[in-house]
Amino acid sequence: MAALGGDGLRLLSVSRPERQPESAALGGPGPGLCCWVSVFSCLSLACSYVGSLYVWKSELPRDHPAVIKRRFTSVLVVSSLSPLCVLLWRELTGIQPGTSLFTLMGFRLEGIFPAALLPLLLTMILFLGPLMQLSMDCPCDLADGLKVVLAPRSWARCLTDMRWLRNQVIAPLTEELVFRACMLPMLAPCTGLGPAVFTCPLFFGVAHFHHIIEQLRFRQSSVGSIFLSAAFQFSYTAVFGAYTAFLFIRTGHLIGPVLCHSFCNYMGFPAVCAALEHPQRRPLLAGYALGVGLFLLLLQPLTDPKLYGSLPLCVLLERTGDSKAPLCS
């Protein structure tokens, strides 16, 4: 927190008066206050999102269809109102993004097709090992698997399954909207793009601690195991949040992070221990290693901003005095 009021703030640098940011020219608040407004706004969004899950009092577990339906309602209301928080932040800080609010939040048509396909492809490459493991353990062959995937009945079943809708549609869409599309534009002028990539996921990771409440409530495991699981989930969600924040900044679109989030929810955390004991361990581990290697090799080329047009967050930083953001090129 001390760094929020320090000399390293990017929002209002006074070391070079000839390049004062536009927010200063507009008579906005000082740098420390601007950053506190940003942090408080993000914290309010995170608390509102998690709090909306507990508006409904119920003795039923979280996976019960009735509970899921009620939470759909409250989460969708909070998510649809979340852009108002960004609007209020803009008014309080006096920062003018130079683009519309929805463009800043990743709702735009320019470069939408590569923004939808390339990040998802990159994520699937990272999960090459788990995908191989899934295909090895699947009793059906590729042709039968494709028939099942493309069958209208399969999709109809999915669309009536409350857990599937939550994990593959509602959670990815609302979480990326709140924790990436709304929070990153507020954090980036204060911290810069690089630190924002790692700061934003902290709100996302902490927001998942609410699962502890339900696990303790229904005594699903020992207290030690529950807290150990929560610590692991925080670490995993924080790393994943940093990745989708990186995708959001580099592509300037919300659709890529949403699709990657949905895919990762489907795949779950890679079953590395099962892979080590798998009958076809060697090719499987080679697939894991190859996937990670290709991911690191292709991360920069497949997220090159030139593929996606003008990046709204980079335009925002240029207007606030930071024209050399490393993630913008």
Side-chain angles (χ1 to χ4, degrees):
M1 286 297 182
L4 292 174
D7 296 332
L9 288 169
R10 298 173 181 265
L11 179 59
L12 295 172
S13 174
V14 295
S15 59
R16 297 179 64 183
E18 70 278 6
R19 291 190 59 192
Q20 286 186 354
E22 187 169 332
S23 57
L26 292 172
L33 181 58
C34 284
C35 282
W36 281 113
V37 169
S38 299
V39 172
F40 180 76
S41 299
C42 292
L43 187 60
S44 299
L45 275 177
C47 292
S48 299
Y49 187 90
V50 175
S52 70
L53 301 175
Y54 294 94
V55 170
W56 313 97
K57 292 184 179 180
S58 175
E59 298 300 322
L60 299 171
R62 65 186 293 266
D63 287 336
H64 193 281
V67 175
I68 295 175
K69 288 179 182 179
R70 290 173 182 174
R71 290 184 169 185
F72 277 2
T73 303
S74 54
V75 162
L76 288 171
V77 169
V78 169
S79 300
S80 61
L81 294 176
S82 60
L84 296 178
C85 188
V86 185
L87 185 63
L88 179 60
W89 163 84
R90 188 184 68 180
E91 295 303 318
L92 290 175
T93 59
I95 294 176
Q96 299 300 320
T99 58
S100 71
L101 183 65
F102 286 106
T103 299
L104 187 65
M105 294 171 57
F107 294 97
R108 61 197 188 99
L109 292 177
E110 183 186 15
I112 190 170
F113 291 111
L117 296 176
L118 296 183
L120 181 58
L121 174 62
L122 183 65
T123 308
M124 293 177 72
I125 289 172
L126 176 62
F127 277 78
L128 178 61
L131 286 171
M132 288 176 58
Q133 192 170 351
L134 191 64
S135 66
M136 289 177 180
D137 296 338
C138 182
C140 57
D141 57 23
L142 180 60
D144 292 336
L146 287 175
K147 287 180 182 178
V148 172
V149 170
L150 298 176
R153 287 185 179 180
S154 299
W155 284 101
R157 253 193 319 268
C158 289
L159 293 174
T160 55
D161 183 346
M162 290 297 105
R163 292 183 62 181
W164 187 90
L165 284 174
R166 179 192 63 191
N167 296 337
Q168 311 307 136
V169 181
I170 303 298
L173 179 60
T174 58
E175 288 179 4
E176 293 305 319
L177 173 62
V178 171
F179 292 95
R180 247 65 72 187
C182 289
M183 289 189 182
L184 280 170
M186 295 189 290
L187 288 173
C190 175
T191 64
L193 289 180
V197 167
F198 297 100
T199 304
C200 186
L202 297 180
F203 296 98
F204 182 61
V206 170
H208 283 75
F209 269 119
H210 73 91
H211 293 305
I212 295 178
I213 300 172
E214 296 185 356
Q215 290 175 349
L216 290 172
R217 180 181 169 190
F218 292 100
R219 299 294 180 184
Q220 295 178 351
S221 185
S222 66
V223 174
S225 298
I226 289 173
F227 278 94
L228 186 62
S229 174
F232 174 78
Q233 187 177 34
F234 170 79
S235 303
Y236 176 62
T237 53
V239 171
F240 174 76
Y243 172 58
T244 54
F246 176 85
L247 292 177
F248 181 83
I249 292 171
R250 294 275 289 181
T251 66
H253 282 273
L254 181 62
I255 188 171
V258 169
L259 292 176
C260 293
H261 194 147
S262 180
F263 173 78
C264 290
N265 276 0
Y266 174 77
M267 294 298 297
F269 190 81
V272 180
C273 293
L276 292 172
E277 299 175 356
H278 200 276
Q280 302 184 53
R281 180 177 56 190
R282 288 186 178 180
L284 194 53
L285 293 179
Y288 270 82
L290 180 62
V292 173
L294 288 174
F295 172 80
L296 295 174
L297 186 66
L298 297 172
L299 179 61
Q300 294 291 334
L302 291 185
T303 61
D304 189 337
K306 295 177 182 177
L307 298 171
Y308 308 102
S310 176
L311 303 184
L313 280 182
C314 296
V315 174
L316 171 62
L317 288 194
E318 287 177 4
R319 292 176 67 86
T320 55
D322 188 358
S323 58
K324 297 182 179 180
L327 294 180
C328 293
S329 58

